[in-house]
Amino acid sequence: LTLTVTAPTVAQLAGFEASSQSDYVQVIWETISELTTARYNLYRSPALDGDRTLLTTVTAVSSGNFGGGVYQYMDTGVQPGQTVFYWLEDV
């Protein structure tokens, strides 16, 4: 898993990881601060430069505050042995 920030963001990430389970991929991210974040959009693609599919939209738990939160998503749409890439968008 490679974390790449492509544009400035107000949310501060403490971590972003994806781990393969027996029948899904568990995506977890943790934030330190979410001062102007309303929500997060999580995307998946089969290629680094491929089309992205929106998996979920999650409301920020500490929107408007200096606090952060812990989030998780169970991606059941991945086949065993398949390589996928995830993107997290701060909205």
Side-chain angles (χ1 to χ4, degrees):
L1 176 68
T2 302
L3 176 62
T4 303
V5 178
T6 58
T9 179
V10 176
Q12 294 179 337
L13 280 177
F16 181 77
E17 64 181 64
S19 60
S20 179
Q21 306 300 314
S22 61
D23 58 349
Y24 64 93
V25 174
Q26 184 174 26
V27 182
I28 299 175
W29 67 95
E30 181 178 359
T31 61
I32 297 168
S33 174
E34 303 175 328
L35 190 57
T36 62
T37 301
R39 67 183 183 275
Y40 298 98
N41 293 331
L42 180 65
Y43 298 89
R44 177 188 64 218
S45 175
L48 187 57
D49 58 353
D51 291 334
R52 298 174 186 179
T53 300
L54 177 64
L55 298 175
T56 190
T57 297
V58 180
T59 302
V61 297
S62 295
S63 182
N65 296 306
F66 286 105
V70 177
Y71 305 87
Q72 66 177 348
Y73 178 78
M74 291 173 36
D75 186 359
T76 58
V78 179
Q79 299 299 316
Q82 180 182 11
T83 298
V84 295
F85 299 85
Y86 292 95
W87 285 265
L88 184 64
E89 179 181 32
D90 171 1
V91 181

